[in-house]
Amino acid sequence: MVTDRDIVVKCLAQGGDPNSMKAGELAAGKPLTVGADDPAEEILRTMTQYKVRRLPVIDGHDLVGIVSQGDVARNVPEGKVGDLVEAISS
């Protein structure tokens, strides 16, 4: 998943031009995903471990949505949300 932040950070780091950079130049590593039936706790663990704010949600091989840090924050205990935000931001 490529965000506006990825574009800016990569362009600055590589001295590139965001108007000419290709999506493939921004991609790195194996994609991280979560399953449509995964519990919020699993999403929380994955986001914390890999320091990501959004994850594609798949059902089999089909993309069915995107789950964000905000989505998780609304569905897990408040204390765990703080841990997530701290882990991702560090």
Side-chain angles (χ1 to χ4, degrees):
M1 178 172 324
V2 177
T3 67
D4 54 343
R5 183 175 185 269
D6 297 321
I7 295 168
V8 170
V9 170
K10 273 277 188 154
C11 284
L12 289 175
Q14 295 177 358
D17 175 11
N19 295 315
S20 62
M21 190 164 271
K22 307 282 188 235
E25 296 174 74
L26 298 168
K30 183 180 174 201
L32 295 172
T33 62
V34 291
D37 294 327
D38 287 352
E41 291 289 331
E42 178 63 26
I43 298 165
L44 180 69
R45 277 191 295 276
T46 302
M47 287 180 163
T48 301
Q49 179 179 354
Y50 294 99
K51 299 184 181 222
V52 296
R53 290 178 167 86
R54 293 170 198 82
L55 288 167
V57 180
I58 59 169
D59 187 3
H61 293 286
D62 297 328
L63 176 68
V64 296
I66 304 291
V67 65
S68 71
Q69 181 179 344
D71 297 327
V72 175
R74 288 186 291 275
N75 291 285
V76 297
E78 206 171 299
K80 293 188 179 195
V81 173
D83 293 342
L84 171 63
V85 172
E86 183 178 334
I88 291 172
S89 300
S90 63

